[in-house]
Amino acid sequence: MRDWPGKRLAGGINFLRGRGRRFEGALQKLDRLADFARSGDVDLVVFSGDFTAMGTRAEFATARAAIQPFVRSPAEFVCVAGNHDIYTRTVVREKRFERTFEGLLETDLPDSRVDGPWPIVRLLGDDVAVIALNSAKPNPVPWRSSGRIPAEQLDAVRRLLQRPEIGNRFVFIVTHYAPCLEDGSPDTPTHGLENVEEYLRVCADVRRGAVLCGHVHQTYRVRLPVLAPEVFCAGSATMHELEGFWLFDVRNGEITATRGRWVEDRYRLEAP
Ligand SMILES: [Fe+2]
């Protein structure tokens, strides 16, 4: 409460008025989702952020325990911070996100880091690369929840895409904020990515790949005229009646994406 009481107060009231209830049972659902990932022999799990509501220490401790069943090894787990995780300047100063996920923010190309652990690069087998960026930042004003990818991270991605280690791999670019909504239109200035146009220009250099995001609570895929890679929004894995995720299969440079849903008491894949 010392840190922007207005922001925490507004967030707390919002949470108590109903948002919190929409996440009841989230821990049990995550357990089921981990069962699903194990049974499907998933090679790599990507979390697109918003592990917490207000970035408190207690929430981070709960989140870290909840994601442990997904961590077969750090090399097979990628996560980015959401705006709810980077809620206040105190959270940033105390490095709560970095400390919570210590050991899971490693990169296969450490010389490309320019901003704390970012960008995180994972090289999967011989044909897939994942590049994860941080787009979350504190928003002191209660009604703002916009994000921004720092310019040095975007420059680092431009360089990464030229590197032989990335080469002809299928590239997943991951950040919390959605480059567009389900109909392809931009998000609002107070909720979206502030430098989305620059981000899209960087993503346009990906010849074969996909752009992954969260933040918007719907699970959708959309093609933008300016991008070769398709955009996939995970939505929320645990929010009541909106539970969703994507399962990707990359073979011979081609991607098959299948949407997952919570049906009755477990996660299931939709028909392709
Ligand atoms: Fe978010």
Side-chain angles (χ1 to χ4, degrees):
M1 292 299 290
R2 282 196 309 260
D3 192 34
W4 298 335
K7 181 76 178 179
R8 278 255 161 83
L9 200 59
I13 290 169
N14 187 17
F15 197 74
L16 292 171
R17 283 181 64 199
R19 186 184 172 91
R21 279 200 296 279
R22 300 204 66 186
F23 288 96
E24 278 176 2
L27 295 177
Q28 290 83 356
K29 287 175 186 170
L30 280 176
D31 271 344
R32 293 298 179 89
L33 190 56
D35 291 343
F36 179 92
R38 274 195 298 268
S39 66
D41 201 20
V42 170
D43 295 312
L44 183 97
V45 176
V46 177
F47 274 84
S48 51
D50 281 349
F51 294 89
T52 70
M54 288 179 283
T56 66
R57 291 191 199 96
E59 285 182 303
F60 271 122
T62 303
R64 182 62 186 84
I67 58 96
Q68 185 57 32
F70 293 90
V71 184
R72 284 200 311 198
S73 82
E76 298 166 355
F77 183 92
V78 172
C79 66
V80 296
N83 53 302
H84 286 273
D85 305 321
I86 309 291
Y87 208 60
T88 64
R89 285 193 199 118
T90 300
V91 174
V92 174
R93 191 168 56 246
E94 294 184 359
K95 296 185 185 298
R96 286 186 198 165
F97 180 83
E98 291 84 349
R99 288 182 175 174
T100 298
F101 296 103
E102 191 171 9
L104 298 176
L105 302 176
E106 301 304 315
T107 178
D108 290 334
L109 297 177
D111 61 330
S112 68
R113 280 178 165 162
V114 293
D115 182 12
W118 315 103
I120 292 171
V121 181
R122 291 284 159 73
L123 304 175
L124 193 65
D126 295 325
D127 51 4
V128 173
V130 180
I131 301 175
L133 304 168
N134 180 44
S135 54
K137 63 180 180 62
N139 278 297
V141 181
W143 57 85
R144 279 196 79 95
S145 53
S146 58
R148 170 173 283 275
I149 303 174
E152 59 265 38
Q153 287 189 50
L154 292 175
D155 288 342
V157 176
R158 286 190 188 94
R159 292 192 295 271
L160 277 167
L161 294 174
Q162 304 298 321
R163 285 178 66 151
E165 297 94 328
I166 303 293
N168 290 318
R169 289 170 184 262
F170 190 94
V171 179
F172 290 95
I173 307 266
V174 186
T175 199
H176 179 63
Y177 281 84
C180 64
L181 301 177
E182 188 167 9
D183 62 1
S185 66
D187 203 344
T188 62
T190 54
H191 185 261
L193 188 61
E194 293 168 8
N195 54 344
V196 64
E197 289 181 6
E198 191 182 358
Y199 179 48
L200 287 172
R201 279 196 291 275
V202 170
C203 293
D205 288 343
V206 177
R207 292 191 304 276
R208 287 181 305 127
V211 176
L212 311 187
C213 63
H215 192 54
V216 179
H217 291 179
Q218 275 87 33
T219 306
Y220 59 86
R221 61 191 295 176
V222 58
R223 278 201 182 280
L224 292 175
V226 295
L227 283 188
E230 200 170 357
V231 174
F232 293 89
C233 181
S236 171
T238 58
M239 191 173 191
H240 182 57
E241 294 186 334
L242 289 175
E243 302 93 338
F245 65 91
W246 286 103
L247 181 68
F248 302 110
D249 190 6
V250 180
R251 288 172 200 270
N252 303 320
E254 298 294 327
I255 188 173
T256 303
T258 311
R259 191 192 326 239
R261 293 281 190 206
W262 174 260
V263 181
E264 294 176 7
D265 61 350
R266 69 191 63 190
Y267 289 94
R268 300 170 198 261
L269 293 176
E270 291 183 344

